[in-house]
Every structure is written in structure tokens, then in C-alpha cells.
Amino acid sequence: MTLSSIDAARLLGRLRELGDIGRDADGRLTRLAASDTERGGRDRFVSWLEAAGLDVAVDRIGNIFGIWATEGIADRPPLMLGSHIDTVINAGIYDGCYGVLAGLEVIETLKASGYMPGRPIVVAAFTNEEGVRYAPDMLGSLIYSGGLDLDAALATIGTDGSVLGDELHRIGYAGDREPGFLKPHAYLELHIEQGPVLEREGVALGAVENLQGISWQKVTIEGDANHAGTTPISMRRDAGYAAARVVTFLRERAKASNTPTVATVGCMAFEPNAINVIPSRATFTVDLRDPDEARLQQEEAALADFLDTLSSEEDVTISVERLARFEPVMFDAGIVAEIETAARARALSCRRMTSGAGHDAQMIARIAPAAMIFVPSKGGISHNPKEFTGDDELVVGANVLLDVTRKLTQGE
Amino acid sequence: MTLSSIDAARLLGRLRELGDIGRDADGRLTRLAASDTERGGRDRFVSWLEAAGLDVAVDRIGNIFGIWATEGIADRPPLMLGSHIDTVINAGIYDGCYGVLAGLEVIETLKASGYMPGRPIVVAAFTNEEGVRYAPDMLGSLIYSGGLDLDAALATIGTDGSVLGDELHRIGYAGDREPGFLKPHAYLELHIEQGPVLEREGVALGAVENLQGISWQKVTIEGDANHAGTTPISMRRDAGYAAARVVTFLRERAKASNTPTVATVGCMAFEPNAINVIPSRATFTVDLRDPDEARLQQEEAALADFLDTLSSEEDVTISVERLARFEPVMFDAGIVAEIETAARARALSCRRMTSGAGHDAQMIARIAPAAMIFVPSKGGISHNPKEFTGDDELVVGANVLLDVTRKLTQGE
């Protein structure tokens, strides 16, 4: 069987073209959600949708949809392909845009080939996935899946003081469709990995079977600020040392556990932060992630137990504040298997994996069977101008998206 | 044998009187070296020296001396008692001032009792001990012992942009004596402990036999800033975790060593310091102290070895910058024994100890046998308005200073 392929030049050309919208004089790419530069990206995307002969729809939270519905199937639940085109500050060109443009590319390829899908195929670009300008992140897909009140979301104040609803009006993307107006039959998101696993293992594709649950906590340890010279070790209540013990505990536990659990202490501050004063206070964050909810709860409990023990061993006072908590998301096993099958048919190496980052797919998974396909990220780098995936790797990913799309839209 | 005593009311009264010079409208005490408020303290001290009938001398770095030389002994090397009357910002009333005023008190007591010393007795107040306004700290006693060039010291620019020499002129304390003009036969400094040991052990006095050497280093660890969700533990180059390992290494080593070594990590900073980013850089300080130079070097070497191992184990780059290094100071064993004898004679508990903080005594020890006497500090607190030593404890310390002074000035 000969497999058809997407138009590599068209896909890569659009990726670069979109990647030039929002570059400042220093060459830095920034397209924050609902900003003027993002309007430029949206307008270009919509022009491509129209040129491809798709029906364009925009919902009230600004999500954009390009709909391909051939005669007689318009009422069937569509297969939805999608991601986002907003970016972080000083971004790379792949994050989100790759999935959106590959979705469009797949539809155009199928259309041009005379394919007759059994259900509509839709490409979606969701609003404010990055969450840099408005909180929470993945806002557009969260609203679409009914997870947040629309009016509250439209009233969200951005980091720049702007109101999301006003900004959507201003840039012409306050649509009239109700979020959720198309209930997907299934949802597929192609994305760069944003991690180092595929590259280091030399694997072409990831069939993403789940997405880590996230637990964010802020820990504050209080001891005594005493003189570094005159206070014997045995008389210290050293908040900094106690904090260091938490950092090493988390790492040793994660290392010994033989599970995909990851634990990170990213923020750390000592007070008074003076060279010759024992820290009276240490404040730090703990980021725990695991694709299994029971295990994530186990890790949280183990940390709580350790903090209890530490508090008495080091005679310090410890308080914990929960900053964020998301349960893991299980993707659809059937779709994951189709991704593996499609990769095998093209003789591509493929591994099941967990997404360590959040994606629109986790929100749409609330209302439809969903899964993701990952392609390698050079050095695991993302949210950075150095974000990079090779052209061949991008094309490979889009071709597998094409195959799975065909599979999921065959017959009725 | 009945032991005589100092005039407790006079000593405590003067301590409180001096402690009120330099209080601002909010009640905060600040007498920075060579400032207007410190001139007030100096003037008061000099007036007390004159009222006591002592010869007042001021040297070119502003050190003040009150000299009691009875007939026929003026040419003999004096016993010097002393400390400093400059303070930190928002200080307590005891640090330094207690030793200076107790020195004066001892001389007045001996004088009034008809005692005929075998050598002159001098009370000294050294310039800029705290080092808050001018660097280095202990500047006056360092100059006095010949450890620093006088002209360079007079040209020192303060944290407020002032020049030390100009300020000494302005406040009238640029004296005409050459620093070191009196070479002490011995030097005794009575001081509050500024640490918790005496209080926690319920011991009245410390016979200070040495002063810790200090090693200050700044350590910078460089790893990779990667995504906290997508980067497996095994692929991390986590500068923050590596820094935490140094903190726990230092503590565990100090704890296991059964030596007076103390190690403190007082400053810590992570970069980029974001909750979901693995730290790419951790910068922290290491304060190592030990009264034994060979052991201090051993500790420095052990840290260097550990950093080497850590660098390869965690695949991080580590650089170390030396910030300060002072060798330990050994005080005079004979004087230390006299302090113990004097304490015993008054049925006071006394323990040998190490000074964890720097003092003028360590500078004068360069040119004369020296030792220190400590009295308890409540909660170990110092450099703080909460600095406190009970009146009885202050009087006990001054009486022991009286006894040792008598002992060291008997006969010839």
C-alpha cells in the first residue's frame, strides 16, 4: 500500500510565515493571546482556512474553527484537529502552531486527494493556551469543554490590565458561536514534545497516552536567624538547611521510585539572606507531577509526612500553601493504538509516553476521546527561540496525523 | 579573702547613658563610626575619663585611650583593657560599650581603693570595630597593631561616600598619637558572648581561649533550565538540587565531626527561579569557621573535593570565589588560666570557649598576649535592639575583669 503525504513545502512555509508574525525589531517572537500581533496571526490563519475552502467559525471566547463538511455528513460529530497559535514572550515558532497548521494541511491534502470522509473534519485554534496574558492557561479549550464560566472568563483581567472580552472585540475575534457548538467525535493534537525523551532515545514519534497530574505547593520554613559564628551546630534552627533537606528528599525519592514521578524545586528564597546569618526563613515551591492520580496523592502524602518529621527533627515551623492542583488526564486508548499502528505502517519508531506539559487536548478530553502525537524537540528546549524540530521530523508527524485522521473518519 | 567589687550602679548607669546617645525619634540606637552621634558617645566617654583623672590620648585613627600611670611606672608597658563604642544600625547597648565602660570602671575602682599597680592600666575605645560605615571591620585595632597602612585607612570611603580621615577631623577625633604608641604588656577584653552557649549551659563566664578562623566562599553552580514537567529526573542538570546537596553535605559533616567547626549557607539564589523550570543556576555562600587553622583548611579541602564529585555526579559546572579568609587567633593561655582562677575564686561557673565573632582582641593579639571574657547573651541575640545581658551578669563579668586586672598588674 502506498501512503499519501502532506505537502511538506506548504506546511513548512506556513509555519515559518506564521512564525514571522509578531517579531519585534530585535527578532523576538511574541504573540500574546488577543493582542495586536496575535490578531495578525489569526487573520493569516483565517485567510488560509478560507483559501482552503473551509467554513470558518469563531466562538465567543475567540476559538477559531475551520470546518470541512462534505455533503450529507454535516450533522455528524466531527473529528477535531487542533492546538493554539498564541505564544509565550520570546517564543519559538513550533509550540501550538505546528499542530494547528498540520491540521489544516491534513484537511487540504485529504480534500485535494478526493477523499470522502465519513464525518466532518475540523481544525481548531484555541484562545490563550499559554496563559501568559490571561489566567488560566488553556483557557479557550477549557471554556469549550464547559470547564469554566464564559462570562467570568471574558471578564478576566490580563497581566497588562486588559480585559479579555474587550480585547477579543477589539481585534475582531469575539465570535457568535457558543463554545462547545461542535461536539467532537474525537480530538487529535500534534505537538512538539517540549522535552528531551524522543531525541535522546532516537525515537521518531510519541503516542501520548496520558498527561501528568500537577501539584504545586509553596512551602515556608521558619527557624531562627542567629550568628553564623557564635551558634553551635547543635543549637541551630536553620530554615535553609531544612529546605535543602526537602530538595534532596524529593530527588532521592523520585530517583528511587522507578515511576515517572517528577519533583522540582524551582523557586527558593532565604531570609535574611546574609552570609553570616543562619537563615530564619526559607520559602520554596514544590512541583510534583505524575500521570497516575493515586501515585500523585502518594507523593503529596510522602512530602507531608517528611515535612512533619523534619519540623520536629530540626525544630522548625513549616507551613504549606497549595498553589495549583490538576488531576492527570488519560487519553483514549483506542486512538493511541491507532497512532502506533500508523507509525508502524510508515516504519517509524514510536513510543507511548506521558505529556509533562499541559495541552488543549487535556481540556477537550473532558468532552471527547482524545490523544496526542509528539515529535522530537531538539535538546528538549521550548518556550525559547531555540525551540527546534527538524523539517523531516515535522513532516513525519504531519503524515502520521494524516493517516490517523483518515482512519478516524472512514465510513460512518 | 574578701574580694572587692566594682561600683555596679556607676557601671550600669553609664552603660544606659551611653546607650541613649544616638537614639532616633523611633528609639532606634545607631552610632556609626566617626558620625555625629558617635562623636556624642566619644565626648561622653572622654568626659568620664577626665572625671576619673586619667590621661586622655587619641591616636591618628581616632582610637581613644584613658591612661592611669602612677608615679614611677609610666614607662612600663601597660595592661590594656578595651573594646569599642561604635555600633551597628539599630543596635543594642552592650556590644563593645560594656567592655570599654567596664575597663574604665575597673580602673576607677582600683584607683579609689588605693591600689598601686605595677604598670599603667589603660582603657581603650577602638575606632570602627563594627565595619558598618567603613571597611574592614576592627579597623582601629588593626591599624593600632600595624596590620594596615594608616594613610590608606584614613582615605577609606564609607558606605555613605564619606572619607574616614575627613570625618575624624570633623568630629574632633583625628588625634596626634601614632597608632601603637603604647605597646601593651597584655590586653583584656570583656564582651557579651553574642551567642547562645553560656545561657543554654547555665554558665556565668566564658574564658575565651581562641577566635575562629573564617572562610567565606561564594559558590555558583550551573546546570540546564528545563521544563519541570517534561524532563525526566535522569536527564536533569539541576543546579538547585546540586546546591541543596552542598548544604546537607556541610551540615552532616559538621555534625559528624565532633569538632567546633561550624558551616553556614546564609545566602541562596536560584535562576530563573520559576516554579515550573529546573534551576539553571544556583548561587550561594559558604561560611566555614574553626578555631584551628589546620582543621579549617581540612574543611575547605573537603568542600572542594565534594564539589568536584558533585560536578561530575550531577553534570553541573561549579565555580568558587573566595570572599574572605581570616586565620584563627589563639589567645594567651596564661591569661585564660588567670580568668579561670579568678572565676573560681568568686565561685562562678566558667568554661573555656571559642569566640565565633570577630573582636578588637584578635587584632591586639598580634602585638601582645591577649584574651577575652564573655558574659551570657540572652537568646544569643546581638546586633539587634533585643540584645540583652542581665545586670547581675554584667557586674559579675566586670568583677572578674577587676580581679584579673589586679593579677596582671601586680608587682613589676
Side-chain angles (χ1 to χ4, degrees), chain B residues 183-233:
Chain B
K183 187 175 179 309
H185 168 71
Y187 177 84
L188 261 179
E189 185 166 351
L190 175 63
H191 207 284
I192 55 168
E193 181 195 341
Q194 302 181 275
V197 175
L198 293 174
E199 185 195 40
R200 300 229 183 150
E201 295 188 356
V203 173
L205 292 165
V208 185
E209 58 183 347
N210 50 25
L211 189 141
Q212 288 172 330
I214 298 181
S215 163
W216 280 0
Q217 298 176 76
K218 185 170 122 182
V219 181
T220 304
I221 302 185
E222 313 251 7
D224 266 345
N226 274 317
H227 192 291
T230 61
T231 314
I233 294 292

Side-chain angles (χ1 to χ4, degrees), chain B residues 264-311:
Chain B
T264 306
V265 174
C267 298
M268 175 69 75
F270 282 10
E271 290 176 35
N273 208 42
I275 186 167
N276 59 347
V277 181
I278 297 160
S280 58
R281 180 184 297 194
T283 310
F284 57 96
T285 55
V286 176
D287 173 318
L288 285 172
R289 307 196 189 200
D290 198 295
D292 181 79
E293 173 62 21
R295 212 159 46 209
L296 188 55
Q297 287 179 18
Q298 249 171 44
E299 293 306 313
E300 291 176 318
L303 174 60
D305 286 350
F306 181 75
L307 294 179
D308 270 355
T309 308
L310 185 68
S311 167

Side-chain angles (χ1 to χ4, degrees), chain B residues 83-318:
Chain B
S83 196
H84 61 95
I85 62 170
D86 67 318
T87 74
V88 296
I89 295 165
N90 199 19
I93 68 170
Y94 304 95
D95 183 354
C97 302
Y98 172 51
V100 171
L101 296 179
L104 169 59
E105 181 57 43
V106 161
I107 294 175
E108 288 198 72
T109 300
L110 290 173
K111 237 182 138 201
S113 73
Y115 178 66
M116 295 298 294
R119 57 183 69 257
I121 307 178
V122 176
V123 55
F126 293 106
T127 296
N128 194 60
E129 194 272 348
E130 294 292 4
V132 174
R133 194 176 184 199
Y134 302 100
D137 50 0
M138 298 169 276
L139 185 144
S141 50
L142 178 61
I143 289 283
Y144 195 82
S145 62
L148 191 65
D149 179 67
L150 176 62
D151 291 327
L154 290 171
T156 303
I157 310 289
T159 48
D160 54 0
S162 64
V163 177
L164 174 55
D166 295 348
E167 285 291 278
L168 287 172
H169 267 287
R170 191 179 65 77
I171 66 165
Y173 282 89
D176 52 9
R177 297 299 186 95
E178 286 302 319
F181 73 102
L182 292 169
K183 187 175 179 309
H185 168 71
Y187 177 84
L188 261 179
E189 185 166 351
L190 175 63
H191 207 284
I192 55 168
E193 181 195 341
Q194 302 181 275
V197 175
L198 293 174
E199 185 195 40
R200 300 229 183 150
E201 295 188 356
V203 173
L205 292 165
V208 185
E209 58 183 347
N210 50 25
L211 189 141
Q212 288 172 330
I214 298 181
S215 163
W216 280 0
Q217 298 176 76
K218 185 170 122 182
V219 181
T220 304
I221 302 185
E222 313 251 7
D224 266 345
N226 274 317
H227 192 291
T230 61
T231 314
I233 294 292
S234 61
M235 294 183 184
R236 297 183 174 207
R237 299 178 62 231
D238 185 337
Y241 167 63
R245 282 192 60 190
V246 180
V247 177
T248 56
F249 165 80
L250 289 169
R251 173 61 57 92
E252 278 149 26
R253 188 174 162 85
K255 222 166 163 181
S257 71
N258 204 22
T259 67
T261 308
V262 284
T264 306
V265 174
C267 298
M268 175 69 75
F270 282 10
E271 290 176 35
N273 208 42
I275 186 167
N276 59 347
V277 181
I278 297 160
S280 58
R281 180 184 297 194
T283 310
F284 57 96
T285 55
V286 176
D287 173 318
L288 285 172
R289 307 196 189 200
D290 198 295
D292 181 79
E293 173 62 21
R295 212 159 46 209
L296 188 55
Q297 287 179 18
Q298 249 171 44
E299 293 306 313
E300 291 176 318
L303 174 60
D305 286 350
F306 181 75
L307 294 179
D308 270 355
T309 308
L310 185 68
S311 167
S312 61
E313 280 182 9
E314 298 299 330
D315 193 18
V316 290
T317 306
I318 303 182

Side-chain angles (χ1 to χ4, degrees), chain A residues 10-350:
Chain A
R10 184 170 56 192
L11 171 62
L12 299 171
R14 282 177 180 164
L15 199 53
R16 285 174 179 77
E17 198 178 329
L18 182 55
D20 274 340
I21 297 175
R23 282 203 190 276
D24 66 14
D26 298 327
R28 289 158 46 105
L29 170 62
T30 304
R31 281 198 316 272
L32 300 188
S35 65
D36 286 326
T37 54
E38 204 224 9
R39 178 196 353 215
R42 285 169 176 263
D43 288 350
R44 190 72 49 96
F45 176 55
V46 167
S47 75
W48 289 327
L49 294 178
E50 287 169 344
L54 306 188
D55 295 330
V56 176
V58 179
D59 71 11
R60 293 178 59 201
I61 198 68
N63 297 320
I64 302 172
F65 303 89
I67 306 165
W68 179 37
T70 53
E71 234 177 276
I73 62 164
D75 291 343
R76 297 182 189 160
L79 172 68
M80 189 176 283
L81 313 175
S83 197
H84 61 94
I85 62 170
D86 66 319
T87 74
V88 297
I89 295 165
N90 198 18
I93 68 170
Y94 305 95
D95 183 354
C97 302
Y98 171 51
V100 171
L101 296 178
L104 169 58
E105 182 57 44
V106 161
I107 294 175
E108 288 197 74
T109 299
L110 290 174
K111 235 183 140 199
S113 72
Y115 177 69
M116 294 298 293
R119 58 182 68 260
I121 307 178
V122 176
V123 55
F126 293 105
T127 295
N128 193 60
E129 194 274 347
E130 295 292 4
V132 174
R133 194 174 184 204
Y134 301 100
D137 51 359
M138 298 169 277
L139 185 144
S141 50
L142 179 60
I143 288 284
Y144 194 82
S145 62
L148 191 65
D149 179 68
L150 175 62
D151 290 328
L154 290 171
T156 304
I157 309 290
T159 49
D160 54 1
S162 64
V163 176
L164 174 54
D166 296 348
E167 285 291 279
L168 288 173
H169 267 287
R170 189 180 65 78
I171 67 166
Y173 283 87
D176 51 9
R177 296 299 185 96
E178 286 302 318
F181 72 102
L182 292 171
K183 187 176 179 309
H185 168 71
Y187 176 84
L188 262 179
E189 184 166 351
L190 175 64
H191 208 283
I192 56 168
E193 181 194 340
Q194 303 181 276
V197 175
L198 293 174
E199 184 195 40
R200 301 230 184 148
E201 295 188 356
V203 172
L205 293 165
V208 184
E209 59 183 346
N210 51 25
L211 190 142
Q212 289 170 331
I214 298 181
S215 162
W216 279 1
Q217 297 176 78
K218 185 169 123 184
V219 181
T220 303
I221 302 185
E222 313 253 7
D224 265 346
N226 274 316
H227 192 292
T230 59
T231 314
I233 294 291
S234 62
M235 293 183 184
R236 297 182 174 209
R237 299 177 63 229
D238 184 336
Y241 166 64
R245 282 191 61 188
V246 179
V247 176
T248 57
F249 164 80
L250 289 170
R251 172 61 56 93
E252 279 149 26
R253 187 174 163 84
K255 222 168 162 179
S257 71
N258 203 24
T259 67
T261 308
V262 285
T264 306
V265 174
C267 297
M268 175 70 75
F270 281 11
E271 290 176 37
N273 208 41
I275 186 166
N276 59 348
V277 180
I278 297 161
S280 58
R281 180 183 297 194
T283 310
F284 57 97
T285 55
V286 176
D287 173 319
L288 286 172
R289 304 194 192 202
D290 198 295
D292 181 80
E293 174 63 20
R295 213 159 45 210
L296 188 56
Q297 287 180 18
Q298 248 170 45
E299 293 306 311
E300 292 176 316
L303 173 61
D305 285 351
F306 181 75
L307 294 178
D308 269 355
T309 308
L310 185 68
S311 167
S312 62
E313 279 183 9
E314 298 300 329
D315 194 16
V316 290
T317 305
I318 303 182
S319 60
V320 176
E321 182 188 344
R322 184 172 285 298
L323 299 178
R325 182 66 163 77
F326 300 104
E327 286 196 18
V329 174
M330 290 302 294
F331 287 133
D332 184 79
I335 303 178
V336 172
E338 293 296 352
I339 294 166
E340 290 180 308
T341 302
R344 208 160 34 236
R346 287 184 185 263
L348 297 165
S349 55
C350 178

Side-chain angles (χ1 to χ4, degrees), chain B residues 65-87:
Chain B
F65 303 89
I67 306 164
W68 178 37
T70 52
E71 234 178 276
I73 61 164
D75 291 342
R76 298 183 188 157
L79 171 69
M80 191 176 282
L81 313 174
S83 196
H84 61 95
I85 62 170
D86 67 318
T87 74

